[in-house]
Amino acid sequence: MRIEVLGSSAGGGFPQWNCHCRMCQSVRDGTSRAEPRTQSSIAVSDDGDNWVVINASPDIRQQINASPRLARTEGTRGSSIRAVIVTDAQIDHTTGLLILREGLPLELYCTQEVAQELSTTYPILSMMQHWEGGYQTHTVDIESPDGWRIPAVPHLAFYPISLSSNAPPFSPYRNRPRPGDNIGLKIVDTEVGQPCFMRLGWARLSRQY
Ligand SMILES: [Zn+2]
């Protein structure tokens, strides 16, 4: 399994545009050895040619341009991104779905709860249908022990893990989140059997794995 870390900062990035704390200011001033960081996102692949982006941050355009493996294409247009997974409906993890519109249609994987949020209170998926049909949404069952597969990366298996955390601020379920509003992922390379566990953000595991 190949993992490309596209961004590693919390929401808002580093430095955050309106933050004048010592750390953010020192990066702006060039008086710190700390480096600017974009908002959290990774991409995974089983062959280095076909990639799945996990969480589409507001910085995704910059992240793709900085990652030659993802930007690679043989024709005039295109990329190596074959699918996107979003682990919740938070703005930090889904705004990149708007930025990717030039590359639609794309496969999208998320829970039923997240798909509902992204079609109602924050209707990105409905809006994007106007770009070549938008996202082909596949909802994943968090109860399924078999996880799911993505055809473009056939040697990776994805297992959703329910996390305890709030729903997004705009959600009617903000303070009474449902299972499926937040997931982590266990990703298994089926050729070597090695798992990778990922959780972006501060959500807690609702049980031990
Ligand atoms: Zn700061």
Side-chain angles (χ1 to χ4, degrees), residues 14-16 19-25:
F14 176 68
Q16 181 171 307
C19 184
H20 305 289
C21 75
R22 186 174 56 81
M23 289 299 293
C24 287
Q25 200 56 47

Side-chain angles (χ1 to χ4, degrees), residues 5 16 30 59 67 73 75 80 83 99 108 112 115-116 119 130-131 138 144 147 166-167 177 189 193 206:
V5 177
Q16 181 171 307
D59 297 322
S67 304
T73 178
S80 304
I99 312 297
L108 175 72
Q112 180 64 46
Q116 179 193 31
S119 304
H130 297 279
W131 279 264
H138 306 267
S144 168
N166 282 339
D189 184 323
S206 49

Side-chain angles (χ1 to χ4, degrees), residues 111-156:
T111 65
Q112 180 64 46
E113 289 77 13
V114 168
Q116 179 193 31
E117 206 78 81
L118 296 179
S119 304
T120 54
T121 46
Y122 179 31
I124 288 181
L125 298 184
S126 311
M127 292 161 58
M128 291 297 100
Q129 287 173 3
H130 297 279
W131 279 264
E132 302 292 337
Y135 290 92
Q136 311 303 304
T137 305
H138 306 267
T139 55
V140 303
D141 178 3
I142 60 168
E143 300 297 335
S144 168
D146 301 325
W148 84 93
R149 299 294 185 99
I150 296 176
V153 287
H155 302 299
L156 300 183

Side-chain angles (χ1 to χ4, degrees), residues 128-198:
M128 291 297 100
Q129 287 173 3
H130 297 279
W131 279 264
E132 302 292 337
Y135 290 92
Q136 311 303 304
T137 305
H138 306 267
T139 55
V140 303
D141 178 3
I142 60 168
E143 300 297 335
S144 168
D146 301 325
W148 84 93
R149 299 294 185 99
I150 296 176
V153 287
H155 302 299
L156 300 183
F158 298 84
Y159 299 89
I161 296 169
S162 184
L163 300 178
S164 298
S165 187
N166 282 339
F170 49 81
S171 170
Y173 300 96
R174 170 66 171 167
N175 294 313
R176 47 188 180 98
R178 305 157 291 178
D181 277 325
N182 297 278
I183 60 168
L185 290 173
K186 183 172 85 170
I187 308 169
V188 176
D189 184 323
T190 57
E191 293 216 304
V192 294
Q194 268 313 89
C196 151
F197 174 75
M198 66 141 294

